[in-house]
Amino acid sequence: MPDSPTARAVPVHTRDRLVAAATELIMQDGYAAACVAAVAERSGVATGTLYRHFPSKAALFVEVFRRICGRELEVMREAAEAQTTATSALDAIVESFASRALQRPRLAWALLSEPADPLVDAERLTYRRKDRELIAEVVRGGVESGEFVEQDADASAAALVGAIGDALIGPLSSTGQSHADPARTVAELQAFCRRAVGVPSPA
Amino acid sequence: MPDSPTARAVPVHTRDRLVAAATELIMQDGYAAACVAAVAERSGVATGTLYRHFPSKAALFVEVFRRICGRELEVMREAAEAQTTATSALDAIVESFASRALQRPRLAWALLSEPADPLVDAERLTYRRKDRELIAEVVRGGVESGEFVEQDADASAAALVGAIGDALIGPLSSTGQSHADPARTVAELQAFCRRAVGVPSPA
DNA sequence: GATCCGTGTGAATCCGGATTCACATTGACT
DNA sequence: AGTCAATGTGAATCCGGATTCACACGGATC
């Protein structure tokens, strides 16, 4: 039975190759470098082919962002849910976010603040909102359990998202300089966040 | 002595008019709406004239950003220096930043995170760094005086800048919805920042 | 084997701005 | 008056991409 219908020569749906190529380009050189021509070339297809699978460049990248951000969010959520206290959940979120951002700084920057199409920006905001919601959830839990002081969970969550993002990507924004000591940076940030939500000082 | 040399018919150096027009456009509709044609029209000159005073559009907007951000920074610095304790200085910075950002949300967003030319982005980063330095200074003071707990002032400053920015403009990012209760938002943010640097709870 | 559909091709085209430039105008200085 | 520098004009031009489209090609269906 040569060449059965289901066992085609690993064509790997072109659509997926396009998404993969776009993802790689963003990881390497950010959104700016991810022009249609580059994506097509990297996928081994012509530029026109891209439009057989996506109505526009923006649509392709919305999908790319959706996939990446979705996974990131899931990782954070799982990290948080594996913990038993709000404090350790907060630590876990920071740790998760930080370690991944520091490993792929370019990607982190692209995801968090690199200029992009309006459609892509909208997608970014959607996920940022989800990040806030996840953190707000943790904060609410901490306040209820008495681990954290009384506070407006949504306001704190917004501030925490900003703090985490800026502390990690702010300093190295687009310029390639990395943090001197990642572990220390993360620890410092965790301490900051704990204090911010009012975890009693360990001293 | 009709028409003395110094009393020209209020020409108001065209250069300044261009800067003013560009500033107004940014305040109203953000960077995206500030195209060369619009700036020129609003200044009452032709597009070509812009290039008599600036080598490029980016150069014009770098100057615009420099002026605005410089003033904002100065206001924050003065607000901080008028205080006698690090805690009140931190409060004053947050209050200053917040009240101004909430009054001109569109401008705040343009200044903090709207996509712009690389040159303009670079200017933005310069001022963000200065913001960090100002706050780091305050944090250092607080740590020394014992008002704040021991911490890495630079790391905390980066996180604080992010927290303040996100808490204020994050939620309303580009979409016109404003904060329900500005005063409450500011108070909540001040409390967050105090806790974050380890000011002993007022309770 | 005729037709159709899904897919691929890539040069030509379109598009939104920024930028240029040949041509005034005006005031200053000789 | 004559020259020059500075400034203004705005239509024409340029430019970096995204997007289109007329033209294949293979496999499936009838």
Side-chain angles (χ1 to χ4, degrees), chain A residues 9-142:
Chain A
V10 204
V12 183
H13 285 315
T14 303
R15 185 189 162 86
D16 293 328
R17 298 234 308 287
L18 286 166
V19 172
T23 303
E24 288 163 21
L25 283 172
I26 283 194
M27 284 190 190
Q28 280 175 20
D29 301 305
Y31 187 80
C35 61
V36 172
V39 173
E41 189 190 7
R42 183 155 202 141
S43 305
V45 299
T47 62
T49 301
L50 191 153
Y51 292 86
R52 292 281 180 213
H53 301 274
F54 298 93
S56 70
K57 179 195 175 184
L60 163 61
F61 281 90
V62 163
E63 172 141 347
V64 170
F65 270 60
R66 208 192 299 272
R67 285 197 194 186
I68 304 180
C69 293
R71 191 157 42 75
E72 295 299 324
L73 182 62
E74 216 34 58
V75 169
M76 284 204 300
R77 170 163 288 131
E78 279 164 15
E81 285 174 354
Q83 308 301 316
T84 54
T85 68
T87 304
S88 56
L90 182 60
D91 276 350
I93 286 176
V94 173
E95 146 68 21
S96 163
F97 186 103
S99 67
R100 298 173 71 82
L102 292 176
Q103 249 161 30
R104 291 177 167 53
R106 195 70 207 231
L107 177 63
W109 181 64
L111 255 33
L112 293 176
S113 47
E114 184 177 7
D117 293 50
L119 273 179
V120 176
D121 283 344
E123 197 61 21
R124 179 151 53 204
L125 288 181
T126 299
Y127 277 95
R128 184 165 276 232
R129 192 163 299 122
K130 287 183 182 173
D131 286 350
R132 276 209 296 276
E133 274 163 29
L134 171 60
I135 293 184
E137 212 52 56
V138 172
V139 172
R140 260 188 286 278

Side-chain angles (χ1 to χ4, degrees), chain B residues 14 46 49 52-53:
Chain B
T14 303
T49 302
R52 292 283 179 210
H53 299 275

